[in-house]
């Protein structure tokens, strides 16, 4: 592709993206592809001769797009937000054009210094302690792994990287029964062992019970284990529960255990001063992660990882082959020493574009609106006697359940599952589910970049309409 062709197709692609965003509500939100149907349309091998780019764009429209679930649709209410936005898309194009490897300062000084500055901006925007230093990781899963590895190194007096874990007593990691699966995965990868993740019971609001945490740590200490890390969550994935950071932090500080805060989803709400109660006790935290690639309008991937003691982090990860010895070492941040990867993408650029183009005030206004929409939806659902709100609504997610009168809990499970599939099959909206105390519940997340009140109100109307169609059919035939 020469530069004239690049220019021609570049304009076409940008035009495609603009049209896509304009018309996004016309696509079925959840892809209707059947298993194997996309692959069956793709040739078994690559072409040996050059093909015109037009054919790529045509196949993108005809083969790929039907197999896409539209996460940027304002009618996407499933899982969690994975927001993108126009400034993020444009900056990502520039990142791809530069193709920079951001492993050390020397391999692109601007990338390293912009990353350092962006992490300071994010830290200050969210009111995190000034002593925190940040680095962009690909995902929260990686950031949590990095926290576990650093905690493991500290707990073994920096021996485990050198000698392996064989010479130490069993290490233990604590999190609530509602914590994200990345904690268990990370503990496995870190050699701590998945079975050494202690799932602490939760209180009525699904937040970690600190009395149970204290008991678990004391039992482990008495058994000769090494308590290594506690992972507290601000906004669990299932029900957005908020763990009591201060009480957990006091225990960690007393016992000398690393405290990592998983705020992957909820962290963005710390932009709002009125939501900072969630981080009360943050002065006890050793590390925190939150994902601008979830709720802060920055396309995947971009996960902000903050640490109190960057020296321990670097001591865990640095390794210095001859070809990476530079004259600037020690004066600048070489981010390959701040995580698992050597090669790193230039992710700070899109963050810079997003923060500047929206401005902090507008970012705050959008997050605030998402919180308002969740409360509004919870109000509408709560006012209907056939529905129940199943968890406190602190953030952008409403967990609810359809519970028609005279229906057993088991029948209601089946009805809610049926309602979920019927709604998603319409293509008009997309919801997901979880289980709370064994019960099937629906989750609706009101945090897409372009979601408005009308989308939420229409979704609720559709939910009720679909549910009554199911129940009248159920009466006519048989509920199943
Ligand atoms: C989404 C989520 C994660 C995982 O985030 P990735 O960036 O996809 O790894 C971890 N913890 C919580 C609480 C989450 O909501």
């Amino acid at each position: 592709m020469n530069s004239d062709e690049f220019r021609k197709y570049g304009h076409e692609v940008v035009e495609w993206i603009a049209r896509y965003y304009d018309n996004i509500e016309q696509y079925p939100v959840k892809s209707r592809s059947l298993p194997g149907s996309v692959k069956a349309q793709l040739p078994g091998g690559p072409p040996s001769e050059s093909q015109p780019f037009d054919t790529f764009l045509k196949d993108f429209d005809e083969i790929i797009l039907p197999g896409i679930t539209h996460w940027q649709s304002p009618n996407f209410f499933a899982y969690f937000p994975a927001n993108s936005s126009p400034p993020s898309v444009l900056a990502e194009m520039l990142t791809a054009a530069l193709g920079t490897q951001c492993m050390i300062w020397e391999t692109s000084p601007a990338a390293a210094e912009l990353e350092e500055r962006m992490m300071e901006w994010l830290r200050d925007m969210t009111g995190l302690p000034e002593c925190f230093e940040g680095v962009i990781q690909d995902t929260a899963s990686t950031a949590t792994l990095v926290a576990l590895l650093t905690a493991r190194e500290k707990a073994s007096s920096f021996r485990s990287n050198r000698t392996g874990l064989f010479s130490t007593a069993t290490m233990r990691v604590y999190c609530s029964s509602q914590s994200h699966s990345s904690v268990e995965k990370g503990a496995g990868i870190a050699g701590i062992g998945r079975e050494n993740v202690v799932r602490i019971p939760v209180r009525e609001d699904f937040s970690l019970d600190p009395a149970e945490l204290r008991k678990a740590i004391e039992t482990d200490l008495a058994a000769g284990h090494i308590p290594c890390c506690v992972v507290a969550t601000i906004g669990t994935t299932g029900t957005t529960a908020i763990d009591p950071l201060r009480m957990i932090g006091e225990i960690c500080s007393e016992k000398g255990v690393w405290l990592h805060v998983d705020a992957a989803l909820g962290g963005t709400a710390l932009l709002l001063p009125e939501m900072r109660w969630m981080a009360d006790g943050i002065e006890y935290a050793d590390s925190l992660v939150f994902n601008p690639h979830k709720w802060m309008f920055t396309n995947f991937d971009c996960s902000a990882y903050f640490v109190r003691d960057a020296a321990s982090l670097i001591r865990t990860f640095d390794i210095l082959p001859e070809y990476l010895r530079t004259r600037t070492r020690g004066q600048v941040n070489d981010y390959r020493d701040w995580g698992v990867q050597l090669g790193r993408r230039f992710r700070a650029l899109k963050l810079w574009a997003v923060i500047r183009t929206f401005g902090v005030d507008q970012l705050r206004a959008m997050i605030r609106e998402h919180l308002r929409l969740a409360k509004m939806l919870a109000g509408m659902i709560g006012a209907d006697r056939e529905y129940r709100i199943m968890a406190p609504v602190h953030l952008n997610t409403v967990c609810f359940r359809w519970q028609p009168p005279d229906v057993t809990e088991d029948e209601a499970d089946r009805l809610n599952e049926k309602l979920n599939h019927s709604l998603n099959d319409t293509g008009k909206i997309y919801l997901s589910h979880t289980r709370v105390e064994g019960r099937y519940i629906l989750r609706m997340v009101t945090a897409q970049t372009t979601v408005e009140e009308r989308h939420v109100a229409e979704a609720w109307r559709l939910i009720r309409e679909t549910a009554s169609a199911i129940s009248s059919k159920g009466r006519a035939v048989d509920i199943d």
Side-chain angles (χ1 to χ4, degrees):
M1 188 182 286
N2 63 33
S3 94
D4 283 339
E5 286 168 321
F6 177 77
R7 205 168 266 115
K8 172 176 180 292
Y9 291 120
H11 286 294
E12 267 182 44
V13 167
V14 171
E15 182 53 41
W16 188 99
I17 297 170
R19 236 183 8 248
Y20 174 67
Y21 283 159
D22 286 344
N23 299 326
I24 196 159
E25 291 181 47
Q26 290 165 23
Y27 295 91
V29 188
K30 181 173 189 280
S31 168
R32 292 171 172 154
S33 278
L34 298 174
S37 64
V38 176
K39 192 175 175 199
Q41 296 176 72
L42 300 169
S48 34
E49 303 210 325
S50 166
Q51 299 183 335
F53 199 72
D54 286 321
T55 62
F56 164 82
L57 290 176
K58 183 168 171 287
D59 287 348
F60 173 73
D61 270 330
E62 290 172 7
I63 301 174
I64 302 302
L65 212 58
I68 292 295
T69 288
H70 299 280
W71 284 72
Q72 303 313 310
S73 166
N75 295 314
F76 181 99
F77 300 104
Y79 306 106
F80 48 80
N83 290 342
S84 189
S85 64
S88 189
V89 172
L90 293 175
E92 194 74 302
M93 284 170 71
L94 294 171
T95 291
L98 297 173
T100 305
Q101 270 293 343
C102 307
M103 46 196 187
I104 55 177
W105 180 87
E106 279 212 0
T107 59
S108 270
E113 294 186 15
L114 183 64
E115 182 161 340
E116 190 174 342
R117 186 61 89 199
M118 286 309 101
M119 290 299 97
E120 291 167 8
W121 281 14
L122 279 186
R123 176 196 66 201
D124 297 344
M125 282 160 66
T126 51
L128 294 175
E130 246 174 60
C131 58
F132 272 23
E133 289 182 76
V135 53
I136 305 179
Q137 305 282 358
D138 53 5
T139 59
S141 303
T142 301
T144 294
L145 171 63
V146 163
L148 289 169
L149 289 166
T150 314
R152 185 197 77 184
E153 280 303 286
K154 269 194 101 164
S156 71
S157 309
F158 292 90
R159 272 204 332 268
S160 55
N161 261 347
R162 265 199 342 269
T163 63
L165 276 175
F166 308 106
S167 51
T168 65
T170 301
M171 292 202 187
R172 304 280 270 180
V173 171
Y174 311 84
C175 62
S176 91
S177 60
Q178 301 291 308
S179 296
H180 192 263
S181 54
S182 55
V183 180
E184 221 166 281
K185 199 173 186 181
I189 298 168
I192 293 167
R194 290 186 182 192
E195 288 179 8
N196 290 311
V197 175
V198 184
R199 293 280 189 168
I200 307 293
V202 292
R203 305 182 290 191
E204 209 160 64
D205 63 354
F206 306 109
S207 68
L208 183 145
D209 184 340
E212 294 285 343
L213 174 66
R214 177 179 289 280
K215 250 197 281 175
I217 292 180
E218 284 173 355
T219 308
D220 280 350
L221 283 169
H225 298 332
I226 304 175
C228 160
C229 184
V230 174
V231 180
T233 309
I234 294 183
T236 57
T237 317
T239 64
T240 66
I242 292 154
D243 290 342
L245 209 51
R246 176 167 300 282
M247 285 189 272
I248 295 171
E250 282 165 2
I251 299 169
C252 290
S253 137
E254 184 190 318
K255 308 287 183 194
V257 183
W258 184 284
L259 173 57
H260 174 61
V261 180
D262 177 359
L265 171 75
T268 298
L270 296 175
L271 259 78
L272 307 181
E274 68 269 26
M275 291 303 289
R276 302 245 169 101
W277 58 268
M278 299 190 302
D280 176 50
I282 189 70
E283 64 273 20
Y284 290 109
D286 293 287
S287 54
L288 175 143
V289 61
F290 91 91
N291 284 346
H293 73 224
K294 270 187 169 152
W295 195 7
M296 217 187 85
F297 319 111
T298 307
N299 70 287
F300 191 84
D301 52 354
C302 182
S303 186
Y305 179 62
F306 292 95
V307 274
R308 176 177 305 282
D309 173 19
S312 292
L313 172 70
I314 293 166
R315 199 167 156 197
T316 302
F317 289 100
D318 79 338
I319 213 162
L320 195 58
E322 186 55 35
Y323 81 106
L324 291 175
R325 284 180 199 276
T326 59
R327 283 173 301 168
T328 52
R329 202 166 156 74
Q331 301 167 42
V332 293
N333 287 345
D334 291 325
Y335 284 116
R336 60 165 190 122
D337 296 333
W338 295 56
V340 176
Q341 309 164 301
L342 172 61
R344 302 175 71 253
R345 278 160 39 68
F346 186 8
R347 301 187 187 93
L349 195 66
K350 60 189 171 188
L351 204 45
W352 195 33
V354 166
I355 298 171
R356 292 175 60 158
T357 309
F358 285 100
V360 176
D361 289 348
Q362 198 187 337
L363 292 175
R364 289 197 168 124
M366 290 166 78
I367 307 297
R368 225 172 243 135
E369 176 65 2
H370 293 165
L371 297 177
R372 186 189 75 82
L373 291 177
K375 286 265 194 293
M376 180 195 85
L377 175 67
M380 296 191 300
I381 295 174
D384 188 318
R385 285 170 42 207
E386 290 207 358
Y387 292 80
R388 271 197 267 149
I389 298 288
M390 300 299 288
V393 179
H394 297 300
L395 292 167
N396 55 26
T397 306
V398 182
C399 294
F400 66 99
R401 179 169 158 93
W402 177 31
Q403 187 77 55
D406 310 325
V407 159
T408 65
E409 294 276 354
D410 285 348
E411 274 169 37
D413 278 351
R414 284 196 297 277
L415 284 174
N416 278 276
E417 189 170 355
K418 190 163 180 184
L419 176 59
N420 192 13
H421 294 317
S422 305
L423 285 165
N424 294 346
D425 288 347
T426 66
K428 291 181 183 160
I429 61 173
Y430 185 14
L431 305 187
S432 55
H433 81 282
T434 187
R435 280 192 184 266
V436 165
E437 284 154 0
R439 290 299 167 202
Y440 192 101
I441 64 163
L442 301 169
R443 288 170 76 261
M444 193 162 152
V445 184
T446 59
Q448 294 309 312
T449 306
T450 56
V451 69
E452 294 171 25
E453 184 172 320
R454 66 187 169 95
H455 300 109
V456 177
E458 173 59 18
W460 172 232
R461 196 196 60 72
L462 191 68
I463 292 167
R464 291 215 287 187
E465 183 186 281
T466 310
S468 27
I470 290 174
S471 58
S472 51
K473 214 167 89 200
R475 262 194 296 279
V477 196
D478 190 14
I479 294 170
D480 180 45

